[in-house]
Amino acid sequence: TEEQDHLRYGGLTKVLVLASLVAAFGSSFQYGYNVAAVNSPAPFMQDFYNKTYISRYNEPMAENLLTLLWSVTVSMFPLGGLFGSLMVAPLVNKLGRKGTLLFNNIFSIVPAIMMGASEMAKSYELIILARIIVGICAGLSSNVVPMYLGELAPKNLRGALGIIPQLFITVGILVAQVFGIRSLLGNKTGWTIMLGLTAIPAVIQLIFLPFFPESPRYMLIQKGDEENSRKALKLLRGWEDVDEEIEEMRLEDQSEQAEGRLSVVSLLTHKSLRWQLLTIIVLNMGQQLSGVNAIYYYADSIYGSAGVNEQNVQYVTAGTGAVNVFMTITAVFIVESSGRRLLLLLGFGICCGACVLLTVALNFQASLSWMPYISIICVIIYVMGHAIGPKRIPAVVTTEMFMQSARPAAFMLGGVIHWLSNFIVGLIFPFMEVGLGPFSFLLFSVVCFVTLIYLLMVMPETKNKTFLEVSQMFGEKNNPETETWEEDLKDNKVILEGIEKITAL
């Protein structure tokens, strides 16, 4: 029972709570903060670009060049995130989970100094380069923090602690939105300070994270250091008897000794992991291609059409961010009771319905005076649905669906899919918006629906299971021992036929 698991594995100890907060604030917070930090001060930053160009060439910057430079500035962040994801597996295997987080602070402090000094140096190139570097920081932290906390947590708290990084991402976005208010830092004199503040969480993490333990699983399974692994577990659990968890780690270690540490290439060709791998790909693509960035893109115009004063749109946007934080906190408290699968199905279902309704509302809001308010409600409902499942759960289940030898490569691949999808949406959505207008959201609703069907058919519930138990559940689907190549081909044809039917529908 859950009560027995609580007694066996323990609850929240002071060390576990503080380690989670320091790791998430020092790394995940920065990801969210830098996502939103350039939105509000964009006009002032573009004015700086233009003035810098005039001082160099004695003529104003062409409008298309300014648009191009600004697009590059924004898109360099997800591109850096992609590069950071490619670094996950080698770094966490070499430096450990905690060691990687400490090393990652270089990619926060250096760009913070560059962005803070850019106006003084009269160089917009510094900002563009800094956005790539801070994107690397986000790419690493978005994968390593969930991995670290998932390996620190007892199985009865793994879901709740796995959402903590996502909570701090949303808090980071909200803080950036608040700081971006014109009367605070989102103005002509404050934007460089706002961009430079990203160094503060990194400095705090550098000071405090060394006092907390490395992942016990990393030390025992990958380094063979049982003594320090046992010490770390005792510190994290708050008691001396950790033999059962040590034994569970040994069993996991023995079950994968024959395979060794898996690279991304071997992960892609490993039959016993194919359904886990496909699930991670679908989840990360569904998360980013579900239209969340497009929703935020449309939000300001939707609020304006509903009669919200232009000066007050920034406050409404911050209010939407507060709703996002509230739903993430809700997910932290219900993920262990409701399970991961239900929250994902519920979230993608809400997003699918909200996208369809928003398409209708946007098409009729010019002719019906009350329709803009329906559009606002759709935006809020979408944000709530995305926050409770699609945005929060993928990192949790990535930790749970793979054992120690495959987990770094799985996070690396999932991170690449996440950031590549993010980059693609940012690149093509402006063209979709011009060509399709509000009907763009119908495409996003299809993505949500296909993801929903896949999860309904394939993904099992992983809550309150050990890593070995989850692996065994997927093993029944993968069934590599009895499968011949003819059966494998038949299975692939069935999957392709299913995808074609869903697409046709």
Side-chain angles (χ1 to χ4, degrees):
T1 66
E2 290 187 12
E3 184 179 354
Q4 288 172 328
D5 283 329
H6 179 81
L7 291 173
R8 186 182 306 147
Y9 293 102
L12 286 172
T13 61
K14 187 185 296 184
V15 173
L16 184 57
V17 170
L18 291 177
S20 302
L21 294 179
V22 170
F25 176 68
S27 295
S28 302
F29 178 90
Q30 296 182 63
Y31 173 8
Y33 185 84
N34 285 291
V35 163
V38 297
N39 292 347
S40 182
F44 306 103
M45 293 177 68
Q46 291 176 31
D47 184 57
F48 163 68
Y49 283 22
N50 191 42
K51 286 181 177 178
T52 301
Y53 189 88
I54 292 173
S55 68
R56 293 178 184 177
Y57 305 108
N58 297 317
E59 62 180 12
M61 187 181 291
E63 188 174 342
N64 58 349
L65 178 59
L66 180 60
T67 302
L68 175 63
L69 280 176
W70 184 249
S71 298
V72 169
T73 302
V74 174
S75 62
M76 285 302 100
F77 183 74
L79 186 62
L82 177 61
F83 293 151
S85 296
L86 292 171
M87 298 163 62
V88 169
L91 283 178
V92 295
N93 288 328
K94 180 71 175 177
L95 304 178
R97 282 57 166 154
K98 187 180 81 169
T100 301
L101 291 177
L102 291 171
F103 173 76
N104 191 33
N105 288 306
I106 296 172
F107 300 115
S108 175
I109 296 172
V110 171
I113 295 171
M114 292 168 65
M115 289 187 289
S118 58
E119 189 174 31
M120 188 183 302
K122 295 184 178 181
S123 173
Y124 47 74
E125 292 88 354
L126 275 178
I127 297 176
I128 295 172
L129 180 59
R131 289 284 291 176
I132 298 178
I133 299 172
V134 82
I136 293 173
C137 173
L140 279 167
S141 66
S142 63
N143 292 288
V144 180
V145 178
M147 191 189 308
Y148 178 56
L149 298 189
E151 293 180 7
L152 291 187
K155 71 174 186 179
N156 55 307
L157 294 174
R158 198 184 300 131
L161 289 184
I163 295 178
I164 293 295
Q166 298 298 325
L167 172 60
F168 273 84
I169 290 173
T170 58
V171 171
I173 293 172
L174 178 60
V175 169
Q177 289 170 338
V178 172
F179 282 176
I181 292 172
R182 295 288 185 264
S183 58
L184 295 177
L185 295 176
N187 51 54
K188 186 176 181 179
T189 58
W191 65 268
T192 52
I193 299 172
M194 184 175 172
L195 296 182
L197 287 177
T198 188
I200 293 177
V203 171
I204 291 174
Q205 187 178 79
L206 275 175
I207 295 171
F208 292 105
L209 191 60
F211 294 102
F212 296 98
E214 176 59 271
S215 161
R217 289 181 173 274
Y218 171 77
M219 288 190 287
L220 178 60
I221 298 177
Q222 290 185 239
K223 293 298 181 182
D225 187 354
E226 182 176 332
E227 182 182 353
N228 282 320
S229 176
R230 190 178 289 272
K231 284 181 182 177
L233 275 176
K234 289 177 181 178
L235 193 62
L236 290 165
R237 303 295 176 259
W239 55 42
E240 294 294 313
D241 186 9
V242 293
D243 290 343
E244 191 165 345
E245 277 195 84
I246 292 289
E247 184 59 31
E248 185 249 312
M249 290 184 204
R250 285 181 184 148
L251 287 174
E252 181 181 335
D253 186 25
Q254 290 169 7
S255 71
E256 17 175 43
Q257 272 181 358
E259 298 172 355
R261 189 183 301 160
L262 295 180
S263 65
V264 173
V265 174
S266 56
L267 181 68
L268 288 169
T269 57
H270 212 292
K271 284 188 175 182
S272 66
L273 296 172
R274 62 183 178 181
W275 282 107
Q276 293 98 309
L277 186 63
L278 186 57
T279 301
I280 292 306
I281 293 172
V282 170
L283 276 176
N284 280 280
M285 290 186 68
Q287 181 195 67
Q288 290 300 310
L289 302 180
S290 60
V292 62
N293 295 324
I295 288 285
Y296 284 120
Y297 178 88
Y298 257 95
D300 285 359
S301 63
I302 291 171
Y303 298 148
S305 65
V308 179
N309 185 282
E310 186 177 348
Q311 292 296 320
N312 294 329
V313 165
Q314 56 187 334
Y315 300 106
V316 179
T317 301
T320 306
V323 170
N324 200 0
V325 171
F326 173 75
M327 294 307 298
T328 307
I329 294 172
T330 302
V332 170
F333 286 102
I334 67 174
V335 66
E336 296 298 351
S337 57
S338 62
R340 291 65 156 140
R341 187 171 183 267
L342 177 62
L343 291 182
L344 284 169
L345 294 174
L346 185 64
F348 277 110
I350 291 172
C351 290
C352 180
C355 282
V356 173
L357 291 176
L358 185 58
T359 303
V360 175
L362 289 172
N363 275 284
F364 287 99
Q365 68 179 14
S367 55
L368 298 173
S369 59
W370 48 270
M371 193 58 78
Y373 300 100
I374 303 298
S375 300
I376 291 178
I377 292 171
C378 289
V379 169
I380 293 172
I381 290 174
Y382 180 95
V383 168
M384 294 173 68
H386 200 267
I388 205 166
K391 183 69 176 174
R392 314 299 163 211
I393 307 300
V396 176
V397 296
T398 302
T399 301
E400 294 178 327
M401 287 196 294
F402 294 90
M403 293 199 293
Q404 197 75 17
S405 63
R407 194 173 297 125
F411 265 100
M412 179 175 166
L413 183 64
V416 168
I417 298 296
H418 170 98
W419 288 102
L420 189 59
S421 301
N422 189 325
F423 181 74
I424 289 171
V425 169
L427 197 63
I428 69 171
F429 179 72
F431 300 99
M432 289 174 59
E433 196 271 331
V434 170
L436 298 174
F439 291 101
S440 305
F441 292 101
L442 286 181
L443 297 180
F444 298 134
S445 69
V446 171
V447 171
C448 293
F449 180 73
V450 171
T451 308
L452 176 70
I453 296 299
Y454 174 87
L455 295 174
L456 194 63
M457 295 173 62
V458 173
M459 185 176 166
E461 179 53 66
T462 60
K463 77 165 185 172
N464 214 26
K465 300 284 193 303
T466 66
F467 297 126
L468 193 56
E469 288 170 342
V470 175
S471 179
Q472 289 169 348
M473 284 194 300
F474 273 101
E476 296 172 5
K477 295 179 180 293
N478 294 317
N479 196 22
E481 291 80 12
T482 59
E483 201 170 57
T484 64
W485 70 269
E486 293 93 344
E487 291 171 327
D488 186 46
L489 182 62
K490 183 179 178 181
D491 285 347
N492 289 336
K493 286 181 179 178
V494 171
I495 293 170
L496 289 172
E497 288 172 3
I499 292 172
E500 287 173 359
K501 288 179 181 178
I502 291 170
T503 307
L505 180 61

